[in-house]
Amino acid sequence: MTDLTATLGTLTLPNPVLTASGCAAAGRELHQFFDVGTLGAVVTKSIMSRPRSGRATPRMAETPSGMLNSIGLQGPGIDSFIENDLAWLAAHGARTVVSIAGGHTDEYVEITRKLNGNPAVSMLEVNISCPNVENRGQVFACDVLASSRVIGAVRRAADPDVPVFAKLSPDVTDITLIARACADAGADGFSLINTLLGMVIDTDTMAPALGGITGGLSGPAIRPVAVRCVWQVKRVLPHLPILGMGGIRSGLDALQFILAGASAVSVGTAVFGDPTAPVRVLAELEVALEERGFASLADAVGYAHRAPAQRLVPAAPEAAAS
Amino acid sequence: MTARTPDRATSTTSAAIRVAQSRPVQELGEIFAVARVGEYYQFTVIAPGVAAGFQPGHFVAVAVGGENTSMVLRRAFALYGATPSGKFAGTVQFVVAAHGPGTRWLVQRRPGELLDLVGPLGTPFPMPSGPAPAVLVGGGYGTAPLIPLTEALLSAGSTVEMIVGAASAAKLFGELVAKRLVGGVTVTTDDGSAGIQGRVTDVLPAAIERINAEVVYACGPMPMLRAVGDVARAHAIHAQVAVEEAMACGIGVCMTCVLPVRGADGASRFVRSCVEGPVFDADRVRWADVGTLPDDLVGADAMAGH
């Protein structure tokens, strides 16, 4: 039996498979299919201070091995979220990572303060792939200074016991520069990666397929980009934990992220096609780790970074053959 | 369970108050039969878990493309029927129109093959509390979910008239089944290749008046549903309509299938077609605003700058 205990900074989880923000709402719907308390944690849809309608439809287009979405963070606002969603998660024994978003630094801080002291919050994931209304809509995550300001402000405002993870966008020239800035600002770890900005034109209407014109690309199509980002950030900041995500739909997909340096993974878009994907990925990951002779998940984290001579665990024959 | 729209219980007069929620299951079901019906394919799949909770108006979400497919999203189909599940495996039926890569893959599947189903999904048609004369209007394969609804209404003692319409004869569905179930069936086609040339709404007022209908049910394309709602309102009765909106997940987590809907509190919100729908009271849907972000929607004010 492989020890699946996952560590994300000061947070210890019984296993390394979580949902991904925006792909599991606040757990209720998936709980019809499996007990969300059995997951490493539920990562909730990014919450902002006020209720948000989201964008006009169409909000989705299927793409090769993925999908494009432009939801616009439809949500109930932080007060309703705490009263209804967070309370429900706590009542059902689900560990919860709360994803927070904002249009300016003060909004992130306001939300963080409202979550302070709430025992249902295991971790904060800071979604900085939002337009900064104070800087002509420039996305925080694409700007070193804006990223570090938000992360620094959230880290200072949050409970010291609660890890603060920066969720980074791959739509940057060098993701390690943003990661370093967030680390300097106090980030306890990283969630890698957010969606890639994409676009689809409907050839019947000859107009953009999405109401929001551009959208976030997710699903297996972006997995190699995500694995690359995890690898690069782990290389430059080996001491900080990474929650890896981007197109994971099997245990071996998850293992790629672990070997690249992720301490845990989120299963996102796969849930839309297979509501039980998170528990299936966990079961498959456990088998894959066992087959490769890992006594613990921790032994596998970042394993691909080792030089050949340091590979203490021999590759499993089945794995070597495939 | 997911939050329900609060207006369900109070939305109509004598019609439309009984709605129960079923818990969906994910199930690998063996295809029992595939039948060609006009331009459509009628699937019968052995799926006792899905069948067990079935009520008219429910839909099923089907994975397409096989194990290593590049099509990551399920396709949603209104359930055409389900046998009661008992000692023997229950079956479900749904109707597929091949209009994209996913549905083209699906219609090539044959008996004995397995399909990955999630269902029953959605909020079914609300049933009248007692016998209530009803007109049911189906557009294209939108007639499919109205067949089990007809059976349920008839067994509750309601008088039913049906209007079955499509663009052309080949796009009609369920005409013969409808005629076996009820005496009053009117067929319309846009091109006159079957039945009366014209639209379902051309013949709807007369049908409502013939049986003094208390409720209209409809399923079909969005413009048809809106027009049916207008006719019902002109007769001071409610129309319960099942929409077809593009969905990614079908289970309420992705928020892609939303429509602007007015709630019992008078406030309008984007609500999910897959969970709060697919059946809506036509008067609650802001048809003219579909595809836009109306300024007065709850939370629209927070969208500025985004």
Side-chain angles (χ1 to χ4, degrees):
Chain A
M1 283 284 284
T2 303
D3 177 4
L4 291 174
T5 305
T7 311
L8 294 170
T10 54
L11 176 65
T12 302
L13 302 174
N15 71 68
V17 177
L18 293 73
T19 61
S21 180
C23 299
R28 274 191 183 89
E29 293 81 4
L30 293 188
H31 197 67
Q32 300 174 106
F33 297 94
F34 62 88
D35 178 0
V36 293
T38 61
L39 293 174
V42 172
V43 183
T44 54
K45 182 175 171 68
S46 293
I47 193 74
M48 298 182 75
S49 61
R50 289 191 290 160
R52 282 171 65 88
S53 62
R55 295 202 185 94
T57 55
R59 290 176 166 187
M60 179 272 292
E62 193 178 40
T63 60
S65 290
M67 65 176 281
L68 202 61
N69 86 82
S70 172
I71 312 295
L73 295 182
Q74 179 171 347
I78 184 66
D79 294 336
S80 166
F81 170 82
I82 291 171
E83 191 181 331
N84 300 309
D85 298 324
L86 203 50
W88 184 92
L89 285 158
H92 289 78
R95 289 162 291 276
T96 303
V97 175
V98 178
S99 171
I100 63 171
H104 43 82
T105 306
D106 290 348
E107 186 173 3
Y108 286 95
V109 170
E110 178 201 340
I111 298 165
T112 302
R113 292 212 171 108
K114 286 190 172 174
L115 291 164
N116 274 351
N118 193 318
V121 181
S122 294
M123 179 171 125
L124 293 179
E125 183 180 86
V126 189
N127 176 1
I128 52 174
S129 293
C130 299
N132 180 354
V133 294
E134 289 169 342
N135 185 20
R136 290 166 290 124
Q138 156 90 311
V139 173
F140 290 98
C142 296
D143 180 67
V144 167
L145 203 60
S147 297
S148 67
R149 268 204 196 116
V150 170
I151 297 302
V154 170
R155 183 59 281 174
R156 283 191 298 277
D159 277 336
D161 297 340
V162 173
V164 170
F165 272 44
K167 185 167 186 179
L168 303 188
S169 166
D171 289 337
V172 292
T173 312
D174 183 350
I175 196 167
T176 65
L177 293 180
I178 309 284
R180 278 183 200 278
C182 291
D184 291 345
D188 298 297
F190 301 100
S191 294
L192 302 173
I193 58 174
N194 213 315
T195 56
L196 283 81
L197 195 64
M199 188 167 173
V200 170
I201 306 277
D202 182 325
T203 48
D204 290 329
T205 64
M206 297 192 281
L210 298 182
I213 301 181
T214 60
L217 181 65
S218 65
I222 73 166
R223 190 193 312 133
V225 177
V227 172
R228 179 266 296 175
C229 290
V230 170
W231 173 276
Q232 288 180 325
V233 172
K234 187 68 183 175
R235 186 128 281 205
V236 300
L237 297 162
H239 59 293
L240 287 182
I242 294 169
L243 175 59
M245 67 209 67
I248 295 173
R249 69 172 169 187
S250 73
L252 290 182
D253 296 343
L255 182 61
Q256 282 199 50
F257 282 80
I258 303 288
L259 296 172
S263 298
V265 296
S266 282
V267 177
T269 300
V271 166
F272 299 160
D274 178 5
T276 52
V279 284
R280 180 178 49 75
V281 167
L282 175 58
E284 290 171 0
L285 176 62
E286 182 169 18
V287 170
L289 289 167
E290 265 178 32
E291 279 176 354
R292 285 156 184 75
F294 286 110
S296 73
L297 171 79
D299 291 343
V301 173
Y303 191 83
H305 289 269
R306 295 190 186 191
Q310 295 174 293
R311 296 186 189 203
L312 305 175
V313 180
E318 300 93 321
S322 63
Chain B
M1 291 300 297
T2 326
R4 310 251 37 90
T5 43
D7 53 329
R8 277 281 159 203
T10 54
S11 61
T12 56
T13 52
S14 64
I17 50 167
R18 188 157 53 81
V19 174
Q21 198 69 20
S22 299
R23 185 190 174 102
V25 298
Q26 184 174 9
E27 198 160 47
L28 264 188
E30 183 184 335
I31 300 172
F32 183 72
V34 184
R36 182 80 191 259
V37 184
E39 289 193 0
Y40 309 112
Y41 294 81
Q42 181 184 318
F43 279 75
T44 303
V45 182
I46 301 166
V50 179
F54 168 76
Q55 292 173 62
H58 275 141
F59 67 96
V60 66
V62 184
V64 295
E67 192 183 0
N68 290 308
T69 180
S70 69
M71 293 180 281
V72 299
L73 305 177
R74 284 171 188 263
R75 273 44 174 178
F77 304 98
L79 282 167
Y80 173 46
T83 60
S85 173
K87 203 168 171 186
F88 302 97
T91 60
V92 296
Q93 292 179 303
F94 54 91
V95 178
V96 179
H99 54 58
T103 45
R104 280 199 293 276
W105 177 88
L106 194 53
V107 301
Q108 286 158 23
R109 309 281 59 82
R110 292 297 171 257
E113 294 185 58
L114 298 177
L115 289 179
D116 179 344
L117 309 181
V118 173
L121 294 168
T123 299
F125 287 109
M127 296 294 288
S129 50
V135 179
L136 277 58
V137 186
Y141 67 130
T143 305
L146 302 181
I147 298 298
L149 176 63
T150 300
E151 290 167 342
L153 288 166
L154 289 174
S155 68
S158 297
T159 306
V160 175
E161 272 233 17
M162 293 190 78
I163 299 169
V164 177
S168 64
K171 288 185 157 58
L172 284 170
F173 180 84
E175 177 193 356
L176 294 178
V177 183
K179 283 178 173 164
R180 275 210 306 273
L181 286 173
V182 298
V185 176
T186 309
V187 174
T188 66
T189 52
D190 295 353
D191 64 359
S193 54
I196 297 167
Q197 179 167 8
R199 298 186 178 273
V200 291
T201 40
D202 296 339
V203 300
L204 178 57
I208 291 173
E209 287 151 22
R210 263 198 304 278
I211 60 169
N212 200 14
E214 290 176 26
V215 61
V216 175
Y217 293 96
C219 181
M222 200 87 81
M224 184 200 100
L225 300 181
R226 180 183 183 178
V228 166
D230 290 342
V231 172
R233 190 183 323 105
H235 288 78
I237 58 176
H238 282 267
Q240 297 290 341
V241 301
V243 301
E244 282 183 16
E245 180 64 30
M247 295 175 187
C249 76
I251 59 171
V253 293
C254 78
M255 308 303 290
T256 62
C257 64
V258 298
L259 289 174
V261 174
R262 203 177 294 109
D265 59 356
S268 296
R269 298 172 179 82
F270 273 141
V271 304
R272 299 166 296 183
S273 300
C274 66
V275 175
E276 284 81 12
V279 179
F280 291 104
D281 185 327
D283 260 355
R284 301 274 191 187
V285 180
R286 291 176 53 168
W287 302 103
D289 295 322
V290 172
T292 72
L293 173 52
D295 287 342
D296 65 329
L297 228 61
V298 172
D301 55 335
M303 297 306 292
H306 292 265

